[in-house]
């Protein structure tokens, strides 16, 4: 399908289950499993505490993105949410700080249509999650064939309470990119229903499954191994059921690498597409393949980022400290982007109280404030990574200023929400529920200004 200017439109093809498994599949990225084992090693029997601390801001973020995606169901995600709230500078900053570094650090080719992505992602996620859940249940309840090397004492942490609560920031990575389904809003059949449900249920599923496997790891694997291994999840699976466990977790790891790359090659190119559409990134990122209707240039750009990261890690001996160092840097910048999204909700509720929010939760201001406090604490626990994260954020800020000055565009002036949604209507395939509600709102705004 094409719009009035002859530009190809993205196709609406994703349903709830494809969306949900994309959220859940993010949990099993390679770096997420390394972070899971690492946090389990430091947290030991009290690993539940950093998980609880981390899940609170993540649920707040899930609620925020649920409302925002129902307001502006476009491929630009946080960019398009932030434009009418805080202006172009913070919109570009939130996008690049959150997702350029995130994809680079996670570096786990998807060129065909989005429906194929949904089917493959769902199938791979089902395989991974089933194996992962079975191993977690076996280990957490002490049913493994191997020897239990640690006794669980949830209120007596082996490494002390200070060490345990200090892992909250690292535990954030368990939820790596769960909101990556939001950029597929233009390709979702009912984004205001499917995406919020997938985000909320996805976060809950992730923390439950991760805790099961974390406790399996603590029971059956030496804590020092969990803290230092580049493949702690494979070590745990082998300890649980021997060679079969090694085979099962190797299958998961391969699937995880595949699904991580799939998710990244779906999300970041669409974010860049949204940026380019608003003249905040080179126009070349707007190109859609005429047959598959996918942003090919962005896909190749994202592939290059992933490749550079993989080469860097290999040149440094694939050391766990190198991997976790990249993860922690990206976590800090990623949480800054989350913070901006939470602020977007507060600002847009105040500035556009009558806008039709197809998904709306009560008590949002309180939830957003709790989420901001939680993010601030998690960032504090990663203060050893502040220097490199700060350098990255400064470089992104410099790009934002230089690009906007070059284009002679305002930095901090919020863009009218009317313009954002009108542009989205023109470029996206029809979405009757949202189209009708927003069209009525636009008419009211026009009449009010007459």
């Amino acid at each position: 399908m094409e719009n009035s200017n002859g530009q190809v439109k993205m196709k609406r093809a994703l349903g709830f289950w494809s969306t949900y498994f994309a959220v859940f599949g993010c949990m099993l990225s390679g770096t997420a499993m390394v972070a899971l084992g690492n946090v389990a090693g430091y947290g030991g029997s009290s690993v539940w505490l950093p998980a609880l601390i981390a899940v609170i801001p993540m649920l707040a973020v899930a609620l925020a993105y649920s409302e925002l995606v129902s307001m502006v169901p476009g491929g630009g995600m946080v960019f398009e949410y932030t434009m009418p709230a805080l202006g172009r500078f913070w919109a570009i900053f939130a996008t690049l700080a959150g997702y350029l570094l995130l994809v680079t650090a996670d570096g786990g080719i998807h060129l065909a249509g989005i429906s194929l992505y949904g089917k493959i992602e769902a199938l791979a996620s089902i395989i991974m999650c089933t194996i992962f859940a079975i191993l977690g249940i076996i280990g957490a309840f002490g049913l493994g064939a191997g020897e239990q090397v640690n006794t669980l004492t949830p209120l007596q942490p082996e490494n002390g309470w200070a060490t345990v609560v200090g892992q909250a920031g690292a535990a954030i990575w368990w939820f790596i990119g769960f909101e990556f389904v939001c950029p597929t809003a233009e390709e979702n059949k009912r984004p205001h229903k499917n995406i919020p449900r997938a985000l909320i249920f996805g976060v809950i599923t992730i923390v439950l499954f991760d805790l099961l496997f974390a406790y399996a790891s603590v029971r059956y694997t030496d804590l020092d191994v969990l803290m230092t291994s580049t493949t702690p999840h494979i070590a745990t699976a082998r300890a649980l059921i021997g060679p079969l466990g090694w085979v099962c977790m190797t299958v998961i790891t391969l699937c995880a690498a595949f699904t991580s790359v799939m998710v990244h090659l779906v999300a970041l190119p669409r974010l860049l597409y949204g940026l380019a559409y608003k003249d905040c990134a080179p126009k070349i990122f707007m190109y859609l393949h005429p047959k598959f209707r996918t942003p090919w240039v962005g896909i190749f750009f994202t592939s290059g980022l992933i490749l550079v990261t993989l080469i860097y890690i290999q040149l440094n001996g694939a050391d766990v400290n190198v991997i976790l160092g990249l993860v922690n840097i990206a976590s800090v910048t990623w949480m800054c982007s989350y913070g901006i999204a939470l602020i977007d909700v507060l600002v847009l509720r105040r500035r556009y109280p009558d806008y039709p929010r197809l998904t709306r939760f009560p008590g949002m201001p309180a939830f957003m404030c709790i989420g901001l406090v939680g993010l601030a604490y998690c960032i504090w626990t990663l203060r050893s990574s502040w220097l490199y994260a700060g350098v990255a954020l400064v470089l992104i800020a410099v790009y934002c200023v230089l690009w906007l000055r070059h284009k002679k565009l305002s930095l901090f002036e919020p863009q009218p929400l009317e313009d954002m949604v009108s542009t989205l209507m023109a470029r996206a395939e029809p979405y009757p529920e949202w189209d009708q509600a927003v069209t009525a709102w636009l008419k009211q705004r026009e009449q009010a200004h007459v």
Side-chain angles (χ1 to χ4, degrees), residues 21-255:
F21 282 115
V23 173
F24 191 31
C26 291
M27 174 194 73
L28 294 176
S29 74
T31 54
M33 287 191 282
V34 174
L36 171 59
N38 188 256
V39 172
Y42 283 100
S45 298
S46 299
V47 68
W48 59 269
L49 183 54
L52 177 62
I53 296 173
V55 78
I56 292 172
M58 290 301 98
L59 283 172
V61 172
L63 294 177
Y65 275 104
S66 295
E67 179 167 310
L68 292 168
V69 78
S70 76
M71 291 180 66
V72 187
M77 199 178 66
V78 72
F79 170 78
E80 292 182 329
Y81 311 152
T82 307
M83 281 276 280
L86 304 174
R88 291 185 180 87
F89 174 87
W90 290 113
I92 302 174
F93 183 87
T95 304
L96 299 183
Y99 302 100
L100 190 67
L101 291 176
L102 180 65
V103 168
T104 303
D106 193 42
I109 298 183
H110 176 73
L111 303 174
I114 193 71
S115 59
L116 176 62
Y117 155 76
K119 294 172 184 176
I120 295 175
E121 181 73 23
L123 177 61
S125 295
I126 289 171
I127 294 171
M128 290 192 300
C129 297
T130 301
I131 298 174
F132 191 76
I134 291 172
L135 290 174
I137 291 170
I138 289 173
F141 291 97
L143 304 177
E147 179 184 357
Q148 297 185 40
V149 298
N150 295 301
T151 301
L152 297 183
T153 55
L155 298 179
Q156 296 177 350
E158 293 84 348
N159 297 311
W161 287 111
T163 299
V164 173
V165 296
Q167 292 302 302
I172 285 287
W173 201 260
W174 293 10
F175 305 90
I176 164 87
F178 76 96
E179 78 288 2
F180 267 13
V181 295
C182 293
T184 66
E186 291 180 46
E187 298 155 284
N188 202 291
K189 296 175 183 177
R190 300 187 74 202
H192 78 283
K193 293 286 187 182
N194 296 333
I195 293 178
R197 291 172 181 170
L199 289 173
I200 295 168
F201 289 125
V203 167
I204 295 170
T205 308
I206 287 169
V207 74
L208 291 178
F209 275 50
D210 273 358
L211 273 177
L212 280 175
F213 197 82
Y215 275 112
S217 301
V218 173
R219 272 188 184 273
Y220 286 88
T221 315
D222 187 271
L223 298 185
D224 288 335
V225 172
L226 295 175
M227 288 186 278
T228 59
S229 174
T230 56
T231 54
H233 49 295
I234 294 179
T236 294
R238 180 187 287 275
L240 281 171
I241 53 177
L244 178 60
W246 181 89
V247 172
C248 289
M249 192 51 73
T250 299
V251 170
I252 285 184
T253 303
L254 292 174
C255 288

